[in-house]
Amino acid sequence: MRVFVPATTTMLRALIDDGEFSPISRTAFAVTPTLREAYSSGDDDELADVALREAARASLRLLGGEGEVDETDGGADADADVDVDVDAAAAAAAAAGSAPRRVVIAADVDPVTLRPDLDDAVVRLPQPLSLRQVASVHVDLAEAEPAVRAAVEAIDAADLGDVDAEFVLGDAEDHELAWYAPQEIPFLLDLM
């Protein structure tokens, strides 16, 4: 089954260095029977795109957990209105030397455990992900970094129903992830 594993550039480096990595809770996204039922129309490619977008959103959460956003702004208050200055976020990224980019690893894994109790597209991997299983990697381009940084700051508020925060996420999700073959990953990481 083709799965889409949310990751970060740090996790991608671990995959290349170690030949494998264990995703958080071994969670991934895929075209599951429950996902098919949730959509009245859509072919396999369209449903795979839904699963990929879910993994990309999960990557935002991972970026926040890794602290790849600048912590010098005093931290984000989850109860505060989201008012993120994208230009200031870009300047903070440059100062911090980090490059927040969503990363999704597409891999072929069998068997997986379906987890419809978590979400329609969620699956659990049986073991750590091996580099041999990777079919492709999808990563934000550099121009997406300011929007991704802002989305990392806003994702918790969006989860709590803040409409403005949802728009901030939408700005990041408007950026398409670039596709890379497995053999291109080391070069990609060198260029980042």
Side-chain angles (χ1 to χ4, degrees):
M1 172 179 270
R2 176 63 50 96
V3 299
F4 300 96
V5 181
T8 64
T9 54
T10 303
M11 294 173 178
L12 195 55
R13 286 181 203 285
L15 176 64
I16 293 300
D17 292 346
D18 302 336
E20 70 177 27
F21 93 102
S22 190
I24 304 291
S25 300
R26 294 202 183 139
T27 298
F29 299 82
V31 178
T32 65
T34 308
L35 182 65
R36 285 184 197 284
E37 288 175 20
Y39 284 82
S40 59
S41 65
D43 61 18
D44 284 347
D45 288 338
E46 291 169 322
L47 294 174
D49 187 56
V50 170
L52 177 96
R53 283 186 280 125
E54 289 293 322
R57 186 169 274 209
S59 177
L60 290 172
R61 291 181 181 88
L62 294 174
L63 286 168
E66 277 190 350
E68 289 194 21
V69 295
D70 185 34
E71 300 296 336
T72 61
D73 66 355
D77 183 2
D79 296 327
D81 289 336
V82 175
D83 184 21
V84 180
D85 182 345
V86 174
D87 292 331
S98 63
R101 298 188 192 189
R102 296 171 297 164
V103 176
V104 176
I105 301 168
D108 296 315
V109 178
D110 279 314
V112 297
T113 304
L114 303 178
R115 293 298 311 268
D117 56 313
L118 297 177
D119 199 79
D120 294 341
V122 175
V123 296
R124 185 169 194 277
L125 304 180
Q127 58 199 19
L129 184 67
S130 166
L131 187 55
R132 293 184 322 272
Q133 296 170 303
V134 174
S136 62
V137 174
H138 307 263
V139 181
D140 276 311
L141 297 174
E143 59 262 17
E145 290 176 15
V148 169
R149 180 171 297 285
V152 169
E153 294 287 336
I155 193 158
D156 289 339
D159 287 345
L160 295 172
D162 185 312
V163 176
D164 292 333
E166 193 62 46
F167 281 120
V168 173
L169 288 185
D171 289 343
E173 291 171 345
D174 284 344
H175 291 273
E176 292 290 325
L177 299 174
W179 180 94
Y180 299 92
Q183 63 270 24
E184 295 176 304
I185 300 170
F187 305 108
L188 168 66
L189 291 171
D190 285 345
L191 294 172
M192 292 177 71

